[in-house]
Coordinates of all heavy atoms in Angstrom, one line a residue:
C14 N -4.4 0.0 3.8 CA -3.4 -0.1 2.7 C -2.6 -1.4 2.7 O -2.7 -2.2 3.7 CB -2.6 1.1 2.7 SG -1.5 1.2 4.2
A15 N -1.7 -1.5 1.8 CA -0.9 -2.7 1.7 C 0.1 -2.7 2.8 O 0.5 -3.9 3.1 CB -0.1 -2.7 0.2
R16 N 0.4 -1.7 3.3 CA 1.4 -1.7 4.5 C 0.8 -2.3 5.6 O 1.4 -3.1 6.5 CB 1.7 -0.2 4.8 CG 2.5 0.5 3.7 CD 2.9 1.9 4.2 NE 1.9 2.8 4.5 CZ 1.2 3.5 3.5 NH1 1.6 3.5 2.2 NH2 0.3 4.4 4.0
N17 N -0.6 -2.1 5.9 CA -1.3 -2.9 7.0 C -1.4 -4.4 6.6 O -1.4 -5.2 7.6 CB -2.7 -2.3 7.1 CG -3.0 -1.4 8.3 OD1 -1.9 -1.0 8.9 ND2 -4.1 -1.2 8.6
E18 N -1.5 -4.8 5.5 CA -1.4 -6.2 5.1 C -0.1 -6.9 5.5 O -0.1 -7.9 6.0 CB -1.8 -6.4 3.6 CG -3.1 -6.0 3.1 CD -3.3 -5.9 1.6 OE1 -2.4 -6.4 0.9 OE2 -4.3 -5.4 1.2
V19 N 1.0 -6.2 5.3 CA 2.3 -6.7 5.8 C 2.3 -6.8 7.2 O 2.8 -7.8 7.8 CB 3.4 -5.8 5.1 CG1 4.8 -6.3 5.8 CG2 3.4 -5.8 3.7
D20 N 1.8 -5.7 7.9 CA 1.9 -5.8 9.3 C 1.0 -6.9 9.9 O 1.4 -7.6 10.8 CB 1.2 -4.5 9.9 CG 2.2 -3.3 9.6 OD1 3.3 -3.4 9.2 OD2 1.6 -2.2 9.9
S21 N -0.2 -7.3 9.2 CA -1.1 -8.4 9.7 C -0.3 -9.7 9.5 O -0.4 -10.6 10.4 CB -2.3 -8.4 8.9 OG -3.1 -7.4 9.3
E22 N 0.5 -9.8 8.4 CA 1.2 -11.1 8.2 C 2.3 -11.2 9.1 O 2.7 -12.4 9.7 CB 1.7 -11.2 6.9 CG 0.4 -11.3 5.8 CD 1.0 -11.8 4.4 OE1 2.1 -11.8 4.1 OE2 0.0 -12.1 3.6
E23 N 2.9 -10.1 9.7 CA 4.0 -10.2 10.8 C 3.2 -10.5 12.0 O 3.7 -11.5 12.8 CB 4.6 -8.8 11.1 CG 5.5 -8.9 12.3 CD 6.0 -7.5 12.7 OE1 6.0 -6.5 11.8 OE2 6.2 -7.2 13.9
L24 N 2.1 -10.1 12.4 CA 1.2 -10.4 13.6 C 1.0 -12.1 13.5 O 1.1 -12.8 14.5 CB 0.1 -9.7 13.8 CG 0.3 -8.3 14.1 CD1 -1.0 -7.5 14.1 CD2 1.0 -8.1 15.4
A25 N 0.5 -12.4 12.3 CA 0.3 -13.9 12.0 C 1.5 -14.7 12.3 O 1.4 -15.9 12.9 CB -0.3 -14.0 10.7
G26 N 2.7 -14.2 11.9 CA 3.9 -15.1 12.1 C 4.2 -15.2 13.5 O 4.5 -16.2 14.1
R27 N 4.1 -14.1 14.3 CA 4.3 -14.1 15.8 C 3.3 -15.1 16.5 O 3.6 -15.7 17.4 CB 4.3 -12.7 16.4 CG 5.4 -11.8 15.9 CD 5.2 -10.4 16.7 NE 6.3 -9.5 16.1 CZ 7.5 -9.5 16.6 NH1 7.9 -10.3 17.6 NH2 8.3 -8.6 16.2
L28 N 2.1 -15.0 16.1 CA 1.0 -15.8 16.8 C 1.1 -17.2 16.5 O 1.1 -18.1 17.5 CB -0.3 -15.3 16.4 CG -0.7 -13.9 17.0 CD1 -2.0 -13.2 16.2 CD2 -1.0 -14.0 18.5
E29 N 1.4 -17.5 15.2 CA 1.5 -19.0 14.8 C 2.7 -19.6 15.6 O 2.7 -20.7 16.0 CB 1.6 -19.1 13.3 CG 1.5 -20.6 12.9 CD 1.4 -20.7 11.4 OE1 2.4 -20.3 10.7 OE2 0.4 -21.2 10.9
A30 N 3.8 -18.8 15.6 CA 5.0 -19.4 16.3 C 4.8 -19.5 17.7 O 5.4 -20.5 18.2 CB 6.2 -18.3 16.1
D31 N 3.8 -18.9 18.3 CA 3.5 -19.1 19.7 C 2.3 -20.2 19.9 O 1.7 -20.1 21.0 CB 3.3 -17.8 20.5 CG 3.5 -17.9 22.0 OD1 4.4 -18.5 22.4 OD2 2.7 -17.3 22.7
G32 N 1.9 -20.8 19.0 CA 1.0 -21.8 19.2 C -0.4 -21.5 18.7 O -1.3 -22.4 19.0
W33 N -0.8 -20.4 18.3 CA -2.1 -20.0 18.1 C -2.4 -20.6 16.6 O -1.6 -20.6 15.7 CB -2.1 -18.5 17.8 CG -2.2 -17.8 19.2 CD1 -1.0 -17.6 19.9 CD2 -3.2 -17.3 19.9 NE1 -1.4 -16.9 21.0 CE2 -2.7 -16.6 21.1 CE3 -4.7 -17.2 19.7 CZ2 -3.6 -16.1 22.0 CZ3 -5.4 -16.6 20.6 CH2 -5.0 -16.1 21.9
Q34 N -3.7 -21.0 16.4 CA -4.2 -21.5 15.1 C -4.8 -20.3 14.5 O -5.8 -19.7 14.9 CB -5.1 -22.6 15.3 CG -5.7 -23.2 14.0 CD -6.7 -24.2 14.2 OE1 -6.9 -24.8 15.2 NE2 -7.4 -24.8 13.1
L35 N -4.4 -20.0 13.2 CA -5.0 -18.9 12.4 C -6.1 -19.4 11.6 O -6.1 -20.3 11.0 CB -3.9 -18.3 11.4 CG -2.8 -17.7 12.2 CD1 -1.6 -17.5 11.2 CD2 -3.1 -16.3 12.7
V36 N -7.2 -18.7 11.7 CA -8.4 -19.1 10.9 C -8.9 -17.8 10.1 O -8.5 -16.7 10.5 CB -9.6 -19.6 11.9 CG1 -9.3 -20.8 12.7 CG2 -10.0 -18.5 12.9
E37 N -9.7 -18.1 9.1 CA -10.0 -17.0 8.1 C -11.2 -16.2 8.6 O -11.1 -15.0 8.5 CB -10.3 -17.7 6.8 CG -10.7 -16.7 5.7 CD -10.9 -17.2 4.4 OE1 -10.6 -18.4 4.1 OE2 -11.3 -16.6 3.5
N38 N -12.1 -16.8 9.2 CA -13.5 -16.1 9.6 C -13.3 -15.8 11.2 O -13.1 -16.6 11.9 CB -14.5 -16.9 9.3 CG -14.8 -17.1 7.7 OD1 -14.6 -16.3 7.0 ND2 -15.2 -18.3 7.5
A39 N -13.7 -14.6 11.4 CA -13.8 -14.0 12.8 C -14.8 -14.9 13.6 O -14.5 -15.1 14.9 CB -14.1 -12.7 12.9
A40 N -15.8 -15.5 13.0 CA -16.8 -16.2 13.8 C -16.2 -17.5 14.2 O -16.8 -18.2 15.2 CB -17.9 -16.4 12.9
D41 N -15.1 -18.0 13.7 CA -14.5 -19.2 14.0 C -13.3 -19.1 14.9 O -12.6 -20.1 15.2 CB -14.0 -19.9 12.7 CG -15.2 -20.2 11.8 OD1 -16.3 -20.5 12.2 OD2 -14.8 -20.3 10.5
A42 N -13.1 -17.8 15.3 CA -11.9 -17.6 16.3 C -12.4 -17.2 17.7 O -13.3 -16.5 17.9 CB -11.2 -16.4 15.7
D43 N -11.3 -17.6 18.5 CA -11.5 -17.2 20.0 C -11.4 -15.7 20.1 O -12.1 -15.0 20.8 CB -10.5 -17.9 20.7 CG -10.6 -19.4 20.8 OD1 -11.9 -19.8 20.9 OD2 -9.6 -20.2 20.8
V44 N -10.4 -15.2 19.3 CA -10.1 -13.7 19.4 C -10.1 -13.2 18.0 O -9.4 -13.8 17.0 CB -8.8 -13.4 19.9 CG1 -8.4 -11.9 20.1 CG2 -8.6 -14.1 21.3
A45 N -10.8 -12.2 17.7 CA -10.8 -11.5 16.4 C -9.8 -10.2 16.5 O -10.3 -9.3 17.4 CB -12.2 -11.1 16.0
V46 N -8.9 -10.1 15.7 CA -7.9 -9.0 15.6 C -8.3 -8.2 14.5 O -8.1 -8.7 13.4 CB -6.4 -9.4 15.7 CG1 -5.6 -8.2 15.8 CG2 -6.3 -10.2 17.0
V47 N -8.6 -6.8 14.7 CA -9.0 -6.1 13.6 C -7.8 -5.1 13.4 O -7.6 -4.3 14.4 CB -10.3 -5.4 13.9 CG1 -10.7 -4.3 12.6 CG2 -11.5 -6.2 14.0
N48 N -7.2 -5.1 12.4 CA -6.1 -4.2 11.9 C -6.6 -2.9 11.3 O -7.1 -3.1 10.2 CB -5.0 -4.9 11.1 CG -3.8 -4.1 10.9 OD1 -3.7 -3.0 11.4 ND2 -2.9 -4.8 10.4
T49 N -6.8 -1.8 12.0 CA -7.5 -0.8 11.6 C -6.7 0.3 10.8 O -5.5 0.2 10.8 CB -8.0 0.1 12.9 OG1 -6.8 0.5 13.7 CG2 -8.9 -0.8 13.7
C50 N -7.4 1.1 10.1 CA -6.8 2.2 9.3 C -7.2 3.6 9.9 O -8.4 3.7 10.4 CB -7.3 2.1 7.9 SG -6.6 3.5 6.9
G51 N -6.2 4.5 10.1 CA -6.5 5.7 10.6 C -6.4 6.9 9.8 O -5.9 8.0 10.2
F52 N -6.5 6.6 8.5 CA -5.9 7.7 7.5 C -7.0 8.9 7.3 O -6.7 10.0 7.6 CB -5.7 6.9 6.1 CG -5.3 7.9 5.0 CD1 -4.3 8.8 5.2 CD2 -5.8 7.8 3.8 CE1 -4.0 9.8 4.2 CE2 -5.4 8.6 2.8 CZ -4.6 9.6 3.0
V53 N -8.1 8.6 6.9 CA -9.2 9.6 6.7 C -10.5 9.1 7.4 O -10.7 8.0 7.9 CB -9.4 9.9 5.3 CG1 -8.2 10.5 4.6 CG2 -9.8 8.6 4.4
E54 N -11.4 10.0 7.4 CA -12.6 9.7 8.1 C -13.3 8.5 7.6 O -13.8 7.7 8.5 CB -13.6 10.9 8.1 CG -13.3 12.1 9.0 CD -13.1 11.7 10.5 OE1 -14.0 11.0 11.0 OE2 -12.2 12.1 11.2
A55 N -13.4 8.4 6.4 CA -14.2 7.2 5.8 C -13.4 5.9 6.2 O -14.2 4.9 6.5 CB -14.2 7.3 4.3
A56 N -12.2 5.8 6.2 CA -11.4 4.7 6.6 C -11.6 4.4 8.1 O -11.7 3.2 8.5 CB -9.9 4.9 6.3
K57 N -11.6 5.5 8.9 CA -11.8 5.3 10.4 C -13.2 4.7 10.5 O -13.4 3.8 11.5 CB -11.5 6.6 11.1 CG -10.0 7.0 11.2 CD -9.9 8.3 11.9 CE -10.2 9.5 11.1 NZ -9.7 10.8 12.0
K58 N -14.2 5.1 9.8 CA -15.5 4.7 10.0 C -15.5 3.2 9.6 O -16.3 2.4 10.4 CB -16.6 5.4 9.2 CG -18.0 5.0 9.4 CD -18.9 5.8 8.4 CE -20.4 5.3 8.5 NZ -20.5 3.9 8.3

Side-chain angles (χ1 to χ4, degrees):
C14 65
R16 300 184 295 273
N17 255 17
E18 294 172 5
V19 176
D20 293 349
S21 285
E22 294 197 348
E23 176 190 333
L24 293 175
R27 291 183 182 278
L28 289 166
E29 186 172 65
D31 201 41
W33 290 78
Q34 179 181 349
L35 297 162
V36 296
E37 184 174 348
N38 297 316
D41 300 326
D43 296 317
V44 184
V46 177
V47 180
N48 193 347
T49 60
C50 178
F52 180 40
V53 294
E54 284 304 317
K57 287 184 279 189
K58 181 181 182 303

